[in-house]
mmCIF file of all heavy atoms in Angstrom:
data_model
loop_
_atom_site.group_PDB
_atom_site.id
_atom_site.type_symbol
_atom_site.label_atom_id
_atom_site.label_comp_id
_atom_site.label_asym_id
_atom_site.label_seq_id
_atom_site.Cartn_x
_atom_site.Cartn_y
_atom_site.Cartn_z
ATOM 1 N N GLN A 30 3.245 14.299 -9.954
ATOM 2 C CA GLN A 30 4.109 14.021 -11.101
ATOM 3 C C GLN A 30 3.291 13.558 -12.312
ATOM 4 O O GLN A 30 3.633 13.887 -13.456
ATOM 5 C CB GLN A 30 5.171 12.976 -10.709
ATOM 6 C CG GLN A 30 6.302 12.850 -11.713
ATOM 7 C CD GLN A 30 7.049 14.154 -11.920
ATOM 8 O OE1 GLN A 30 7.260 14.925 -10.969
ATOM 9 N NE2 GLN A 30 7.445 14.429 -13.156
ATOM 10 N N ILE A 33 2.254 16.586 -14.037
ATOM 11 C CA ILE A 33 3.371 17.231 -14.738
ATOM 12 C C ILE A 33 3.674 16.516 -16.063
ATOM 13 O O ILE A 33 3.892 17.153 -17.092
ATOM 14 C CB ILE A 33 4.622 17.276 -13.826
ATOM 15 C CG1 ILE A 33 4.360 18.244 -12.660
ATOM 16 C CG2 ILE A 33 5.874 17.686 -14.598
ATOM 17 C CD1 ILE A 33 5.348 18.153 -11.522
ATOM 18 N N GLU A 34 3.653 15.182 -16.031
ATOM 19 C CA GLU A 34 3.919 14.422 -17.263
ATOM 20 C C GLU A 34 2.812 14.670 -18.288
ATOM 21 O O GLU A 34 3.074 14.822 -19.483
ATOM 22 C CB GLU A 34 4.038 12.918 -16.961
ATOM 23 C CG GLU A 34 5.140 12.533 -15.970
ATOM 24 C CD GLU A 34 6.560 12.778 -16.486
ATOM 25 O OE1 GLU A 34 6.757 12.953 -17.695
ATOM 26 O OE2 GLU A 34 7.481 12.817 -15.647
ATOM 27 N N SER A 37 3.279 18.026 -19.739
ATOM 28 C CA SER A 37 4.420 18.012 -20.661
ATOM 29 C C SER A 37 3.955 17.503 -22.019
ATOM 30 O O SER A 37 4.276 18.078 -23.058
ATOM 31 C CB SER A 37 5.537 17.096 -20.144
ATOM 32 O OG SER A 37 5.971 17.502 -18.879
ATOM 33 N N TYR A 41 4.022 19.676 -25.496
ATOM 34 C CA TYR A 41 4.796 19.272 -26.676
ATOM 35 C C TYR A 41 3.884 19.031 -27.872
ATOM 36 O O TYR A 41 4.289 19.240 -29.019
ATOM 37 C CB TYR A 41 5.662 18.047 -26.360
ATOM 38 C CG TYR A 41 6.676 18.324 -25.258
ATOM 39 C CD1 TYR A 41 7.265 17.304 -24.527
ATOM 40 C CD2 TYR A 41 7.038 19.642 -24.948
ATOM 41 C CE1 TYR A 41 8.178 17.584 -23.519
ATOM 42 C CE2 TYR A 41 7.949 19.926 -23.940
ATOM 43 C CZ TYR A 41 8.514 18.887 -23.226
ATOM 44 O OH TYR A 41 9.413 19.160 -22.232
ATOM 45 N N HIS A 63 7.706 13.179 -29.156
ATOM 46 C CA HIS A 63 8.062 13.547 -27.785
ATOM 47 C C HIS A 63 6.796 13.649 -26.920
ATOM 48 O O HIS A 63 6.793 13.226 -25.762
ATOM 49 C CB HIS A 63 8.822 14.871 -27.798
ATOM 50 C CG HIS A 63 9.716 15.049 -26.629
ATOM 51 N ND1 HIS A 63 10.657 14.123 -26.258
ATOM 52 C CD2 HIS A 63 9.808 16.035 -25.715
ATOM 53 C CE1 HIS A 63 11.276 14.542 -25.176
ATOM 54 N NE2 HIS A 63 10.781 15.696 -24.817
ATOM 55 N N GLU A 66 5.838 10.212 -25.989
ATOM 56 C CA GLU A 66 6.719 9.674 -24.925
ATOM 57 C C GLU A 66 6.279 10.171 -23.553
ATOM 58 O O GLU A 66 6.269 9.415 -22.585
ATOM 59 C CB GLU A 66 8.168 10.116 -25.158
ATOM 60 C CG GLU A 66 8.905 9.248 -26.135
ATOM 61 C CD GLU A 66 10.406 9.525 -26.134
ATOM 62 O OE1 GLU A 66 10.949 9.901 -25.087
ATOM 63 O OE2 GLU A 66 11.017 9.373 -27.202
ATOM 64 N N GLU A 67 5.922 11.455 -23.487
ATOM 65 C CA GLU A 67 5.489 12.012 -22.200
ATOM 66 C C GLU A 67 4.192 11.358 -21.732
ATOM 67 O O GLU A 67 3.986 11.146 -20.537
ATOM 68 C CB GLU A 67 5.312 13.526 -22.287
ATOM 69 C CG GLU A 67 6.583 14.298 -22.571
ATOM 70 C CD GLU A 67 7.666 14.102 -21.528
ATOM 71 O OE1 GLU A 67 7.405 13.565 -20.441
ATOM 72 O OE2 GLU A 67 8.813 14.488 -21.822
ATOM 73 N N HIS A 70 5.155 8.247 -20.133
ATOM 74 C CA HIS A 70 5.682 8.511 -18.777
ATOM 75 C C HIS A 70 4.514 8.617 -17.780
ATOM 76 O O HIS A 70 4.582 8.101 -16.669
ATOM 77 C CB HIS A 70 6.460 9.836 -18.723
ATOM 78 C CG HIS A 70 7.712 9.843 -19.560
ATOM 79 N ND1 HIS A 70 8.497 10.951 -19.681
ATOM 80 C CD2 HIS A 70 8.293 8.867 -20.307
ATOM 81 C CE1 HIS A 70 9.530 10.670 -20.474
ATOM 82 N NE2 HIS A 70 9.415 9.415 -20.873
ATOM 83 N N MET A 71 3.471 9.331 -18.223
ATOM 84 C CA MET A 71 2.304 9.511 -17.353
ATOM 85 C C MET A 71 1.611 8.170 -17.104
ATOM 86 O O MET A 71 1.311 7.809 -15.967
ATOM 87 C CB MET A 71 1.324 10.491 -18.006
ATOM 88 C CG MET A 71 0.049 10.661 -17.222
ATOM 89 S SD MET A 71 -1.306 11.299 -18.226
ATOM 90 C CE MET A 71 -1.546 9.987 -19.403
ATOM 91 N N HIS A 110 11.702 23.563 -19.621
ATOM 92 C CA HIS A 110 10.641 22.735 -19.042
ATOM 93 C C HIS A 110 11.212 21.408 -18.524
ATOM 94 O O HIS A 110 10.880 20.962 -17.428
ATOM 95 C CB HIS A 110 9.548 22.484 -20.081
ATOM 96 C CG HIS A 110 8.413 21.673 -19.558
ATOM 97 N ND1 HIS A 110 7.461 22.206 -18.712
ATOM 98 C CD2 HIS A 110 8.094 20.374 -19.708
ATOM 99 C CE1 HIS A 110 6.619 21.254 -18.376
ATOM 100 N NE2 HIS A 110 6.970 20.131 -18.965
ATOM 101 N N GLU A 111 12.101 20.806 -19.309
ATOM 102 C CA GLU A 111 12.690 19.530 -18.879
ATOM 103 C C GLU A 111 13.525 19.699 -17.605
ATOM 104 O O GLU A 111 13.573 18.794 -16.774
ATOM 105 C CB GLU A 111 13.535 18.907 -20.000
ATOM 106 C CG GLU A 111 12.708 18.288 -21.120
ATOM 107 C CD GLU A 111 11.741 17.189 -20.659
ATOM 108 O OE1 GLU A 111 12.031 16.502 -19.667
ATOM 109 O OE2 GLU A 111 10.687 17.043 -21.278
ATOM 110 N N VAL A 114 11.118 19.647 -14.866
ATOM 111 C CA VAL A 114 10.655 18.266 -14.658
ATOM 112 C C VAL A 114 11.696 17.470 -13.870
ATOM 113 O O VAL A 114 11.356 16.743 -12.929
ATOM 114 C CB VAL A 114 10.329 17.569 -16.003
ATOM 115 C CG1 VAL A 114 9.993 16.097 -15.792
ATOM 116 C CG2 VAL A 114 9.179 18.263 -16.719
ATOM 117 N N SER A 115 12.978 17.636 -14.231
ATOM 118 C CA SER A 115 14.045 16.912 -13.509
ATOM 119 C C SER A 115 14.015 17.254 -12.024
ATOM 120 O O SER A 115 14.163 16.377 -11.162
ATOM 121 C CB SER A 115 15.422 17.287 -14.064
ATOM 122 O OG SER A 115 15.527 16.850 -15.382
ATOM 123 N N ILE A 118 11.146 15.467 -10.427
ATOM 124 C CA ILE A 118 11.462 14.033 -10.263
ATOM 125 C C ILE A 118 12.351 13.861 -9.025
ATOM 126 O O ILE A 118 12.135 12.961 -8.203
ATOM 127 C CB ILE A 118 12.195 13.478 -11.517
ATOM 128 C CG1 ILE A 118 11.328 13.591 -12.774
ATOM 129 C CG2 ILE A 118 12.724 12.064 -11.293
ATOM 130 C CD1 ILE A 118 10.399 12.480 -13.078
ATOM 131 N N TYR A 140 12.813 7.143 -14.332
ATOM 132 C CA TYR A 140 12.540 8.552 -14.666
ATOM 133 C C TYR A 140 13.802 9.410 -14.533
ATOM 134 O O TYR A 140 14.019 10.324 -15.315
ATOM 135 C CB TYR A 140 11.410 9.102 -13.777
ATOM 136 C CG TYR A 140 10.062 8.498 -14.122
ATOM 137 C CD1 TYR A 140 9.653 7.296 -13.554
ATOM 138 C CD2 TYR A 140 9.225 9.113 -15.035
ATOM 139 C CE1 TYR A 140 8.435 6.722 -13.889
ATOM 140 C CE2 TYR A 140 8.001 8.561 -15.376
ATOM 141 C CZ TYR A 140 7.610 7.366 -14.803
ATOM 142 O OH TYR A 140 6.410 6.800 -15.153
ATOM 143 N N GLU A 143 15.796 8.752 -17.585
ATOM 144 C CA GLU A 143 15.098 9.355 -18.728
ATOM 145 C C GLU A 143 15.368 10.871 -18.790
ATOM 146 O O GLU A 143 15.572 11.438 -19.855
ATOM 147 C CB GLU A 143 13.599 9.080 -18.569
ATOM 148 C CG GLU A 143 12.737 9.473 -19.740
ATOM 149 C CD GLU A 143 12.894 8.596 -20.977
ATOM 150 O OE1 GLU A 143 13.511 7.520 -20.862
ATOM 151 O OE2 GLU A 143 12.419 9.015 -22.036
ATOM 152 N N GLN A 144 15.379 11.508 -17.631
ATOM 153 C CA GLN A 144 15.620 12.963 -17.597
ATOM 154 C C GLN A 144 17.034 13.310 -18.063
ATOM 155 O O GLN A 144 17.230 14.312 -18.741
ATOM 156 C CB GLN A 144 15.361 13.517 -16.191
ATOM 157 C CG GLN A 144 13.899 13.693 -15.852
ATOM 158 C CD GLN A 144 13.086 14.356 -16.939
ATOM 159 O OE1 GLN A 144 12.200 13.762 -17.523
ATOM 160 N NE2 GLN A 144 13.394 15.605 -17.254
ATOM 161 N N GLU A 147 16.870 13.201 -21.770
ATOM 162 C CA GLU A 147 16.085 14.285 -22.363
ATOM 163 C C GLU A 147 16.787 15.640 -22.239
ATOM 164 O O GLU A 147 16.732 16.453 -23.151
ATOM 165 C CB GLU A 147 14.698 14.337 -21.732
ATOM 166 C CG GLU A 147 13.894 13.116 -22.107
ATOM 167 C CD GLU A 147 12.409 13.267 -21.886
ATOM 168 O OE1 GLU A 147 11.972 14.319 -21.391
ATOM 169 O OE2 GLU A 147 11.692 12.324 -22.208
HETATM 170 FE FE1 FEO B 17 8.599 12.896 -18.741
HETATM 171 FE FE2 FEO B 17 10.346 14.824 -20.296
HETATM 172 O O1 FEO B 17 9.561 14.384 -18.704
#
Side-chain angles (χ1 to χ4, degrees):
Q30 193 59 37
I33 292 166
E34 301 293 343
S37 302
Y41 299 160
H63 205 53
E66 277 192 31
E67 296 300 347
H70 295 177
M71 176 201 64
H110 181 75
E111 285 302 330
V114 174
S115 295
I118 299 272
Y140 290 86
E143 187 71 12
Q144 282 314 115
E147 292 197 358

